[in-house]
Amino acid sequence: MRNRYAALALLLALTVALPASAQFLDSRPDVICFYTDQTATRAGLCTVFTAQSLYLMITNPSDDSGLTSYGCSFIVPMSLFNVGFDTGGGLIIGGNFPNLDVGYATPRPAVNDAYLLATWTVMASSPAMDIVQLGDHYPTELYRAVYTTVDSTDPIAVTPPDWGNGMPMLDPWRQAVLWLNEPVWCGLVTPAESSSWGAIKATFR
């Protein structure tokens, strides 16, 4: 019996010790997104009229030598109020949220295969489905958002998550970095009841 408890304790310890990268919503390199947790597993907001913290992260950075700056913009729906945006020590050197150019006097380390860029406190005022999109921060370039590191010689492009596997892919949904009141994620409908994304979106028109 004692050996059984010891084995169970070891199994639990190994489970807790699993790296955050094993849980990422999108395992591709250099993905930027707002998450409701710091393990980057959930990018959907399901609460209304309640302040909630979101975490802006770059997961699986292809260069983890230390974050020195990043630049990005976001298209935020009118129904999502900005309660506060905290860069965690980063200096906004150009623009203002949601248009950001942030630099760090001391390079920010990657933790659990991710750079935590900022904490955004928000409050949704509508139960309708909507998204926060990655904006066109660099309209003349091939990328929308970038970051630089201690070792990088050129800016490194980042992209939103790949919303495949049943998630919508057509613009503007393709550039989603946060979902608001997405029916299946929020438990408003079951997958069996959502016959198509067209049907889901039609209910919010």
Side-chain angles (χ1 to χ4, degrees):
M1 180 68 70
R2 183 176 301 172
N3 289 339
R4 181 181 302 173
Y5 287 132
L8 179 59
L10 178 60
L11 178 61
L12 290 173
L14 290 174
T15 302
V16 171
L18 285 175
S21 57
Q23 305 173 18
F24 288 160
L25 183 148
D26 187 334
S27 61
R28 296 176 306 144
D30 301 319
V31 170
I32 188 170
C33 194
F34 284 104
Y35 299 95
T36 58
D37 58 14
Q38 293 193 46
T39 55
T41 60
R42 188 167 180 82
L45 189 64
C46 301
T47 58
V48 180
F49 298 118
T50 302
Q52 181 167 340
S53 294
L54 304 173
Y55 305 98
L56 179 61
M57 302 172 71
I58 296 174
T59 53
N60 285 328
S62 55
D63 185 332
D64 60 1
S65 60
L67 183 72
T68 55
S69 69
Y70 67 91
C72 55
S73 295
F74 302 102
I75 301 172
V76 181
M78 296 286 290
S79 61
L80 191 62
F81 296 135
N82 175 18
V83 178
F85 190 83
D86 181 6
T87 60
L91 178 64
I92 297 179
I93 54 181
N96 201 354
F97 185 82
N99 304 303
L100 295 167
D101 285 293
V102 176
Y104 297 90
T106 301
R108 176 162 243 180
V111 178
N112 293 330
D113 295 324
Y115 287 122
L116 175 59
L117 307 181
T119 301
W120 184 27
T121 305
V122 300
M123 185 173 66
S125 64
S126 170
M129 187 174 74
D130 213 330
I131 56 172
V132 174
Q133 300 176 55
L134 186 64
D136 201 2
H137 195 67
Y138 302 99
T140 62
E141 305 293 342
L142 297 177
Y143 41 72
R144 290 174 178 255
V146 300
Y147 70 101
T148 61
T149 66
V150 172
D151 292 343
S152 63
T153 56
D154 296 304
I156 301 169
V158 294
T159 58
D162 178 1
W163 300 107
N165 301 316
M167 298 297 286
M169 288 296 293
L170 298 178
D171 288 331
W173 311 98
R174 185 187 304 274
Q175 298 301 327
V177 291
L178 178 72
W179 288 86
L180 309 178
N181 304 305
E182 196 287 313
V184 176
W185 283 15
C186 294
L188 303 180
V189 297
T190 64
E193 292 171 335
S194 56
S195 58
S196 71
W197 277 105
I200 290 175
K201 288 186 284 186
T203 63
F204 293 94
R205 289 174 184 166

